[in-house]
Amino acid sequence: MALLAGGTIAAGLYVFGDTAKSDPIATDEALGRLRDGSLILVDIRRPDEWALTGVAVGAVPLDMRDDGFVAALDQLVGGDRAMPIALICARGGRSRKLAARLAEAGFSAVLEVSEGMLGSAAGPGWIARGFGLQSRLGALLDSVADNIKGRTIC
């Protein structure tokens, strides 16, 4: 997979520089919407990052660099690109850029958790707020179980 200066390849979408725009969501609001089932949370970090910190409870881990990212996201939302999705990464940078690119690709309700897992200028982050973590395996198993039951995550 090629990486160009100042950007990242994400699911076949080139995310360049800091010009991307997206709608932020606070970690506490993301958690509330995740719990009430009105939002799907997707952790777009790398597998080594998931292993290091764990994955937010209720989040689906999908590596944004994976060539099948968009197809997996489409499957997760059952083809409904209007379903609210929040993206979370380490500090909000990747999620902000990818959210904007996914919006351009037809996903109409993509939000980015601007604090990220580790915190940023927007706030202390998911982990420091104590919102709960699970292993990557646990997150994947929960996702599969929910898909089998015909439900969305949470």
Side-chain angles (χ1 to χ4, degrees):
M1 184 175 299
L3 178 65
L4 303 176
T8 309
I9 297 292
L13 304 170
Y14 184 66
V15 180
F16 183 75
D18 289 325
T19 61
K21 302 282 188 232
S22 63
D23 292 325
I25 185 171
T27 51
D28 55 343
E29 182 181 354
L31 178 62
R33 291 186 61 188
L34 180 65
R35 286 180 174 161
D36 73 17
S38 65
L39 174 135
I40 294 174
L41 181 63
V42 179
D43 188 332
I44 63 169
R45 298 176 301 149
R46 299 181 317 267
D48 62 302
E49 292 175 282
W50 301 328
L52 184 65
T53 65
V55 176
V57 169
V60 178
L62 290 178
D63 184 344
M64 69 179 275
R65 303 167 308 145
D66 189 318
D67 290 337
F69 180 86
V70 172
L73 195 57
D74 252 336
Q75 183 176 5
L76 184 63
V77 299
D80 179 4
R81 290 186 172 200
M83 182 175 288
I85 301 166
L87 305 176
I88 192 166
C89 64
R91 300 194 182 275
R94 288 172 287 178
S95 59
R96 179 177 44 81
K97 294 171 188 174
L98 184 57
R101 296 302 179 240
L102 288 171
E104 291 172 4
F107 289 86
S108 62
V110 181
L111 304 165
E112 52 94 7
V113 181
S114 55
E115 293 180 37
M117 293 293 288
L118 305 177
S120 70
W126 190 277
I127 295 170
R129 289 185 184 274
F131 287 163
L133 299 169
Q134 62 187 344
S135 70
R136 174 183 179 223
L137 179 58
L140 290 171
L141 291 174
D142 287 347
S143 176
V144 169
D146 285 343
N147 284 333
I148 290 170
K149 293 176 188 172
R151 298 182 299 130
T152 57
I153 302 302
C154 284

